[in-house]
Amino acid sequence: MLLLLILCATAASAIPSGGDSPVSSHVVAEGISADHAGEPVLHPFVSFSIEFAWFPTYAGTWNLSTDCHFMIRAITMARQLFFPESVFESAFGEPRRYPRDWASYDPDLKTAINGTVIPSISTDYPRILSIGPSFFESYSTWPDTKFIHGFNLAHNGSKINNDLLETIPVACKALDGKLAYWELGNEPNNYKTAYQGASRPSNWTTQDYVDEWLSRTSLIKKKLAKSCPHLTNAKYIAPSTGLPTGILNPVDVFKHGLKSHHNIALNSEHNYMGGADEPGVTLQKTLMNHTAVINSVENHLKVIRTLKAQNLDLPYIYGEMNSLYNQGRPGLSNSFGAALWGVDFNLYSASQSIRRSHMHQGNNYRYASWQPEETNKTSIGTKAPYYGNVMVAAMLKGADDVRVATIPLPGDTEAAYAAFVDGQVARLAVINMKEYNYSTSDPDARRPATKYSFRLPNVDAQRKLSVQRLMANGSNSITGITWDGWSYNYNLKKGAPVRLHNVTVGETVPVHRQGWVEIEVPDSSGAILSV
Ligand SMILES: *[C@@H]1O[C@H](CO)[C@@H](O)[C@H](O)[C@H]1NC(C)=O
Ligand SMILES: *[C@@H]1O[C@H](CO)[C@@H](O)[C@H](O)[C@H]1NC(C)=O
Ligand SMILES: *[C@@H]1O[C@H](CO)[C@@H](O)[C@H](O)[C@H]1NC(C)=O
Ligand SMILES: *[C@@H]1O[C@H](CO)[C@@H](O)[C@H](O)[C@H]1NC(C)=O
Ligand SMILES: *[C@@H]1O[C@H](CO)[C@@H](O)[C@H](O)[C@H]1NC(C)=O
Ligand SMILES: *[C@@H]1O[C@H](CO)[C@@H](O)[C@H](O)[C@H]1NC(C)=O
Ligand SMILES: *[C@@H]1O[C@H](CO)[C@@H](O)[C@H](O)[C@H]1NC(C)=O
Ligand SMILES: *[C@@H]1O[C@H](CO)[C@@H](O)[C@H](O)[C@H]1NC(C)=O
Ligand SMILES: *[C@@H]1O[C@H](CO)[C@@H](O)[C@H](O)[C@H]1NC(C)=O
């Protein structure tokens, strides 16, 4: 048994008694060990996936009113502050939302994209989309970033040569020195049924998919050999299915030979906790809920176990994920509660050997970490989920061998993790996800907190651990969020970090006898303790 959980009443005598803080409960955990930690995370763990149609907007090459400096700052800051030794990647789905006879690539198009929104389908992205050669200039504005470029598989009409083959020379030149992987096809499990328009007949089979994928990647390889010979052997992430269960799930496609050309580096699958418009979805029940997180990740773990048993496994990542599909729900996906969900979901996934996570982004999307331009729907700037990304990056920083173990806690509104660097415990993260909606809470009452006691292995008593907190007025806050006192608010310094003076920083907690440490975590907040 990895962890012994004792509730307060039976706590060992070495646990220091608390002061007179407003704690509502006290949770005690010991036996933290690397034995059951996940496999080492890939650096960077938190990465981003950007809706194809919105990439030029995110890259600042589309609308001159975009504040490019802000965008580049958002990207470089995250990189420099939290994973200085690495780059991070951006994955792209294919332009998946156009009719099958529409050319996705138009070599004569003077703009990066030509998109037409069809409001009856979605107002969040263009249903009809073509891209021109200047689309690829967007790869040049992000410093020190590596990319995954998605080629089109869905399109099966007569313009296939335009769609796929003509973009290869343009894409590979733009990505010289910046390519992480290729991708071919986005959510092929939806091709027969997509509400944006089916692109395959109902009798299309798993074997058909695998054959198409293998033959098109062979075509790409031939074309690359001519245009960018040194990228000929670049690998893919695949199969990028929307759900790891159901049709075209990774177990089926790998059994049918998707790996047979040895050109896949990472098994990439997508995940959402639920739908933005699904009835019954709430912040507490759906997102700020560790049990719901475990249930959501379990779909992937079943697949990983089956693939391992059949020697078909590859490092497993989320190629696209976020809180609620259909771009998130206002008031939920853009709230501080969703940032806490992001911390729990990502750290739990890391503890279960999911090696990387691309959080999906798009212009005006409710769950976006940052909004690239001022629109009549959304103000430009860093959004609440960004702060969750920053806390995850702070927890997982380090060299090659960073592993995460869960520290089981009794409630489904709390979670804790240990990060091990080279086998030694380096950090603990605690997330108290009890909903604290500041709009409905008594302003004169103190915000409730839970006290947590952890017993650290091999850590000397008398040492002090530094504490960094992820904090906001409440789970429903969409602004005023801080990580370790830092704000990235656009209104303060256009997204550059500002240390706020009204937030406590520089806190430490002592290590007591036998390695016990104690920390109070207010409802709807998170903390990291660094050894
Ligand atoms: C952009 O796409 C629309 C179809 O949605 C088309 O009518 C229009 O001609 C296209 N514009 C250009 C410049 O290609
Ligand atoms: C393309 O997709 C359509 C489904 O809308 C299907 O009828 C057609 O047979 C497909 N063509 C090929 C070559 O797969
Ligand atoms: C699949 O359906 C299409 C028509 O949509 C037909 O042309 C094709 O022959 C069918 N393929 C098989 C293998 O039955
Ligand atoms: C958390 O999710 C589980 C599983 O869906 C559910 O049974 C439980 O009631 C939820 N907890 C809260 C606090 O909503
Ligand atoms: C660029 O942004 C401005 C200001 O937000 C907006 O009015 C305009 O429609 C945008 N142009 C395009 C091409 O998106
Ligand atoms: C918001 O901006 C979009 C795109 O620029 C435009 O099509 C739409 O009419 C605007 N809506 C309002 C209410 O101004
Ligand atoms: C927080 O409380 C306000 C006021 O009752 C309510 O409108 C809002 O929906 C609540 N927020 C969440 C995320 O539940
Ligand atoms: C947070 O609460 C403080 C104290 O009540 C208040 O002054 C501040 O305006 C609030 N901030 C936000 C963003 O709601
Ligand atoms: C702290 O100061 C910032 C910036 O002035 C403000 O937005 C935020 O609401 C303040 N927070 C509290 C808890 O007062």
Side-chain angles (χ1 to χ4, degrees):
M1 161 120 178
L2 164 65
L3 225 151
L4 186 64
L5 257 187
I6 333 161
L7 285 178
C8 196
T10 56
S13 58
I15 300 164
S17 58
D20 47 359
S21 45
V23 293
S24 57
S25 56
H26 184 181
V27 174
V28 181
E30 63 179 323
I32 295 166
S33 147
D35 291 352
H36 291 81
E39 289 169 31
V41 299
L42 295 172
H43 289 299
F45 181 85
V46 175
S47 300
F48 298 100
S49 132
I50 297 179
E51 190 72 41
F52 206 87
W54 293 124
F55 181 44
T57 307
Y58 268 76
T61 55
W62 175 236
N63 191 332
L64 293 177
S65 74
T66 296
D67 182 345
C68 303
H69 296 296
F70 161 68
M71 276 179 302
I72 290 168
R73 198 179 297 126
I75 293 296
T76 39
M77 236 161 30
R79 185 174 53 79
Q80 286 165 1
L81 287 173
F82 305 107
F83 20 84
E85 69 290 283
S86 193
V87 294
F88 76 97
E89 292 150 20
S90 201
F92 297 88
E94 66 192 359
R96 54 189 163 176
R97 288 147 184 142
Y98 52 86
R100 64 197 144 96
D101 290 325
W102 188 256
S104 71
Y105 180 63
D106 177 355
D108 300 322
L109 189 67
K110 297 286 173 273
T111 52
I113 64 170
N114 175 20
T116 306
V117 171
I118 300 181
S120 62
I121 291 180
S122 178
T123 51
D124 285 327
Y125 49 77
R127 162 72 165 78
I128 303 174
L129 175 68
S130 55
I131 63 172
S134 63
F135 176 90
F136 296 91
E137 289 168 12
S138 304
Y139 283 124
S140 64
T141 61
W142 300 42
D144 300 319
T145 303
K146 285 199 174 169
F147 298 96
I148 298 168
H149 177 75
F151 289 117
N152 188 302
L153 179 69
H155 191 56
N156 72 350
S158 57
K159 294 233 170 83
I160 176 176
N161 287 349
N162 279 357
D163 275 4
L164 178 62
L165 297 180
E166 288 191 21
T167 59
I168 293 168
V170 194
C172 75
K173 291 195 172 97
L175 285 160
D176 197 2
K178 296 175 187 167
L179 181 73
Y181 305 103
W182 301 118
E183 187 174 24
L184 174 66
N186 178 70
E187 303 191 354
N189 55 311
N190 293 328
Y191 286 0
K192 296 199 280 190
T193 53
Y195 67 91
Q196 299 98 342
S199 58
R200 291 295 183 278
S202 57
N203 59 6
W204 195 58
T205 64
T206 303
Q207 194 62 56
D208 291 336
Y209 163 71
V210 170
D211 292 346
E212 282 183 36
W213 195 93
L214 292 173
S215 75
R216 289 203 193 180
T217 55
S218 296
L219 265 177
I220 294 170
K221 187 169 179 171
K222 281 202 194 104
K223 191 88 180 174
L224 283 173
K226 290 199 193 104
S227 314
C228 301
H230 58 291
L231 292 180
T232 309
N233 294 317
K235 297 206 168 178
Y236 286 77
I237 64 169
S240 314
T241 30
L243 273 180
T245 53
I247 66 159
L248 297 191
N249 67 75
V251 172
D252 282 347
V253 301
F254 285 120
K255 270 193 197 158
H256 279 82
L258 196 73
K259 280 204 316 178
S260 57
H261 291 175
H262 309 288
N263 58 352
I264 302 176
L266 303 170
N267 180 350
S268 165
E269 305 299 330
H270 298 180
N271 199 79
Y272 290 90
M273 297 294 291
D277 305 317
E278 220 173 277
V281 165
T282 70
L283 197 50
Q284 180 75 86
K285 191 169 141 274
T286 315
L287 298 182
M288 293 170 66
N289 182 337
H290 186 59
T291 307
V293 163
I294 289 175
N295 292 346
S296 186
V297 174
E298 181 58 24
N299 293 327
H300 299 272
L301 302 186
K302 277 191 202 121
V303 164
I304 291 176
R305 286 192 290 265
T306 310
L307 288 171
K308 260 209 169 80
Q310 303 185 16
N311 284 321
L312 287 169
D313 58 314
L314 289 166
Y316 196 101
I317 66 163
Y318 301 127
E320 177 190 320
M321 68 81 107
N322 217 312
S323 54
L324 301 170
Y325 62 79
N326 290 346
Q327 297 76 242
R329 183 187 288 194
L332 252 67
S333 297
N334 58 343
S335 72
F336 182 56
L340 294 170
W341 161 79
V343 176
D344 189 30
F345 189 88
N346 280 308
L347 293 182
Y348 180 69
S349 297
S351 79
Q352 303 301 307
S353 301
I354 309 260
R355 313 288 292 279
R356 172 172 287 154
S357 172
H358 295 140
M359 299 196 74
H360 199 51
Q361 311 291 314
N363 204 21
N364 297 323
Y365 287 11
R366 275 66 70 196
Y367 53 53
S369 291
W370 71 99
Q371 165 68 14
E373 64 175 357
E374 188 73 27
T375 68
N376 56 17
K377 288 181 179 166
T378 318
S379 60
I380 188 173
T382 313
K383 303 298 172 185
Y386 185 85
Y387 293 82
N389 305 156
V390 169
M391 175 163 165
V392 175
M395 180 69 173
L396 300 181
K397 69 183 176 196
D400 291 343
D401 188 5
V402 178
R403 297 163 191 259
V404 179
T406 59
I407 304 173
L409 300 178
D412 60 12
T413 57
E414 59 192 352
Y417 300 92
F420 295 87
V421 177
D422 297 327
Q424 298 300 310
V425 64
R427 287 174 287 273
L428 299 182
V430 196
I431 315 150
N432 178 348
M433 293 182 285
K434 274 199 202 96
E435 188 164 26
Y436 182 76
N437 183 331
Y438 73 86
S439 310
T440 53
S441 300
D442 174 1
D444 298 324
R446 292 179 73 184
R447 182 168 171 174
T450 295
K451 186 185 288 182
Y452 293 90
S453 296
F454 298 99
R455 188 173 177 185
L456 292 165
N458 309 321
V459 174
D460 295 338
Q462 266 103 56
R463 283 192 56 171
K464 282 186 188 313
L465 308 189
S466 64
V467 178
Q468 295 167 296
R469 292 185 185 271
L470 183 62
M471 193 46 88
N473 278 2
S475 49
N476 59 324
S477 295
I478 54 169
T479 59
I481 295 148
T482 52
W483 162 251
D484 195 27
W486 293 101
S487 171
Y488 303 92
N489 194 326
Y490 188 80
N491 297 332
L492 294 180
K493 220 174 152 191
K494 292 200 164 191
V498 175
R499 202 81 186 255
L500 298 188
H501 299 295
N502 56 5
V503 185
T504 310
V505 296
E507 218 182 313
T508 61
V509 293
V511 180
H512 297 283
R513 264 192 314 128
Q514 299 174 0
W516 284 101
V517 294
E518 193 176 273
I519 179 147
E520 275 173 28
V521 184
D523 287 0
S524 294
S525 76
I528 286 181
L529 288 79
S530 296
V531 173

